[in-house]
């Protein structure tokens, strides 16, 4: 079932927002020294990928620094979650804070409500535990069968996957106010939207403990090279905040995905790598590799975001849109990632000649 009226209402409201222009916000975080935790990240298909992973060098993580611990406490306070207490909310606007904790520590907070465990599984932001490239990030909106259902289909069909994200896109049934990332701030606990501008202003004192340990890409306030970038898709506002550019999340879906003739799809990957030369991007699922090449808009992305950013597009993958629109997992058949199975995918990027593995939870 399509929701054209709700979508038009959301687009109409958001299109009235004024795009920012200018240079980097000096009050926004410009870079983050990402400290690393002791625990290793494991994926469900670890055994199947053992041989591939042996080829990817990994550093042994050191103990968490004082700066990281202080920032982690600030994120817990703002996001009202507790790692030790085992409580976290991945569905309200507070979800941005445990996601930031994952980016910083490389360790996701387990969902205490089973239905919310899908949020980190569907998370499009990938990190690496390789200390040399700790500040690098990979953004991939489609990396599994579930995210093919969520982001691969045109429109927003009603199915078991999209229902979880409906409030984030359309808001509650009354008011149609999208559930953007938000937190409480000030003596009156006023709700404040979490974006790069508020992070350095209204939330500046509250997030100050993270200035030395949560290193994100520089803020870009120039408008993107595409239109209607205020529209909201699942995770689009989270991607905007982490990438530091309003519209990056929508751009990945609306201007990154391709639909060649004959029930095919090509999926995008956007890489932030301030540490060196990027080559040979592959997605791996169940030991099978999906290859990528430079996107046709590669230069446009770099002109907008900077030379540290690299846009790639995959080879063609079989994609029956009707099957994905119905979330009919039993009838999804593919010989290529990320639609082989419901196991998670990893992304391998060659940086400065070294194979570096990225994971999303």
């Amino acid at each position: 079932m399509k929701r054209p009226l709700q979508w038009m209402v959301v687009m109409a409201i958001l299109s009235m927002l004024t795009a920012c222009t200018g240079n980097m916000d000096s009050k926004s975080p410009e870079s983050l020294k990402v400290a690393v935790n002791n625990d290793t990240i494991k994926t469900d298909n670890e055994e199947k990928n053992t041989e591939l992973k042996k080829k990817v060098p990994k550093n042994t993580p050191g103990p968490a620094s004082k700066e990281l611990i202080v920032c982690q406490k600030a994120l817990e306070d703002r996001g009202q979650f507790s790692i030790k207490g085992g409580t976290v909310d991945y569905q309200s606007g507070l979800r941005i804070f445990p996601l930031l904790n994952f980016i910083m520590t490389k360790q996701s907070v387990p969902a205490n409500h089973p239905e919310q465990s899908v949020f980190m599984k569907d998370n499009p932001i990938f990190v690496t535990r390789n200390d040399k490239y700790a500040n690098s990030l990979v953004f991939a909106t489609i990396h599994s069968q579930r995210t093919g259902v969520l982001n691969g289909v045109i429109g927003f069909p009603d199915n078991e996957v999209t229902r979880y994200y409906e409030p984030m896109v359309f808001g509650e049934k009354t008011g149609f106010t999208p559930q953007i990332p938000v937190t409480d701030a000030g003596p009156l606990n006023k709700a404040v939207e979490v974006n790069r501008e508020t992070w350095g202003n209204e939330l500046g004192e509250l997030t100050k403990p993270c200035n030395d340990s949560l290193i994100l890409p520089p803020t870009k306030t120039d408008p993107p090279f595409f239109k209607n970038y205020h529209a909201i898709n699942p995770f689009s506002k989270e991607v905007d905040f982490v990438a530091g550019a309003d519209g990056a999340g929508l751009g990945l879906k609306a201007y990154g995905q391709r639909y060649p003739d004959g029930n095919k799809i090509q999926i995008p990957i956007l890489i932030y790598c301030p540490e060196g030369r990027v080559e040979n991007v592959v997605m791996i699922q169940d030991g099978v590799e999906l290859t990528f090449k430079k996107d046709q808009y590669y230069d446009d992305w770099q002109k907008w975001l900077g030379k540290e950013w690299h846009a790639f597009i995959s080879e063609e993958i079989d994609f029956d849109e009707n099957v994905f629109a119905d979330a009919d997992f039993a009838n999804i058949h593919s010989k290529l990632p990320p639609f082989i199975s419901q196991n998670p995918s990893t992304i391998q990027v060659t940086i400065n000649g070294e194979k570096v593995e990225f994971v999303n939870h």
Side-chain angles (χ1 to χ4, degrees), residues 25-311:
D25 182 354
S26 60
K27 294 183 179 180
S28 299
E30 296 184 7
S31 58
L32 307 173
K33 186 183 296 182
V34 182
V36 184
N37 243 343
N38 285 321
D39 301 325
T40 57
I41 294 178
K42 296 182 179 180
T43 60
D44 295 340
N45 60 335
E46 191 174 40
E47 292 183 2
K48 295 183 180 180
N49 284 340
T50 298
E51 292 304 316
L52 285 169
K53 290 185 177 183
K54 285 180 180 178
K55 301 177 184 178
V56 181
K58 295 179 182 177
N59 292 354
T60 302
S65 66
K66 291 182 179 179
E67 291 81 6
L68 183 146
I69 294 171
V70 171
C71 176
Q72 193 169 60
K73 179 63 168 60
L75 294 176
E76 286 183 298
D77 290 343
R78 296 275 54 78
Q80 299 175 26
F81 70 95
S82 171
I83 297 173
K84 290 185 178 180
T87 58
V88 65
D89 185 355
Y90 280 125
Q91 195 159 31
S92 75
L94 299 171
R95 62 189 182 272
I96 186 66
F97 292 97
L99 182 58
L100 291 174
N101 180 77
F102 163 70
I103 292 169
M104 181 178 69
T105 66
K106 319 304 188 198
Q107 191 72 28
S108 53
V109 181
N112 53 297
H113 298 291
E115 70 276 7
Q116 293 191 9
S117 63
V118 298
F119 183 81
M120 288 306 297
K121 291 179 181 178
D122 298 337
N123 171 34
I125 305 172
F126 287 63
V127 302
T128 180
R129 297 189 64 88
N130 188 319
D131 285 349
K132 286 192 291 184
Y133 310 106
N135 296 339
S136 291
L137 297 168
V138 172
F139 300 85
T141 50
I142 299 178
H143 53 79
S144 65
Q145 290 183 345
R146 279 184 53 87
T147 53
V149 171
L150 186 62
N151 291 310
V153 178
I154 297 173
F156 200 76
D158 181 20
N159 57 54
E160 64 179 88
V161 175
T162 60
R163 284 181 205 124
Y164 179 83
Y165 296 95
E166 183 174 357
M168 303 179 197
V169 176
F170 298 107
E172 300 301 328
K173 292 184 179 180
T174 57
F176 299 110
T177 302
Q179 200 179 67
I180 56 179
V182 68
T183 187
D184 296 333
L188 300 178
N189 286 330
K190 181 182 70 173
V192 176
E193 179 180 349
V194 179
N195 55 45
R196 286 298 183 93
E197 183 178 358
T198 60
W199 188 268
N201 291 289
E202 291 98 320
L203 302 175
E205 286 300 314
L206 299 171
T207 60
K208 188 176 181 180
C210 291
N211 286 354
D212 295 328
S213 53
L214 181 62
I215 300 177
L216 299 177
T219 303
K220 301 292 182 180
T221 55
D222 290 335
F225 56 92
F226 44 83
K227 298 179 180 179
N228 299 325
Y229 61 92
H230 287 300
I232 294 179
N233 288 314
F235 288 99
S236 63
K237 286 302 178 183
E238 289 87 336
V239 170
D240 285 357
F241 178 80
V242 174
D246 192 15
L250 176 70
L252 269 173
K253 178 175 181 177
Y255 293 87
Q257 294 168 200
R258 310 277 188 274
Y259 297 90
D261 294 335
N263 288 337
K264 302 284 185 178
I265 191 174
Q266 291 176 277
I267 61 177
I269 279 180
L270 183 63
I271 301 169
Y272 171 69
C273 181
E275 294 95 351
R277 186 181 70 257
V278 170
E279 303 170 300
N280 299 338
V281 179
V282 296
M283 183 177 287
I284 305 170
Q285 183 185 50
D286 294 353
V288 181
E289 294 186 356
L290 175 72
T291 60
F292 288 74
K293 62 182 180 181
K294 282 187 177 182
D295 187 77
Q296 68 185 71
Y297 296 113
Y298 185 92
D299 292 338
D300 295 297
W301 282 98
Q302 285 205 336
K303 185 177 179 180
W304 176 34
L305 298 177
K307 295 297 184 182
E308 300 85 5
W309 292 86
H310 310 270

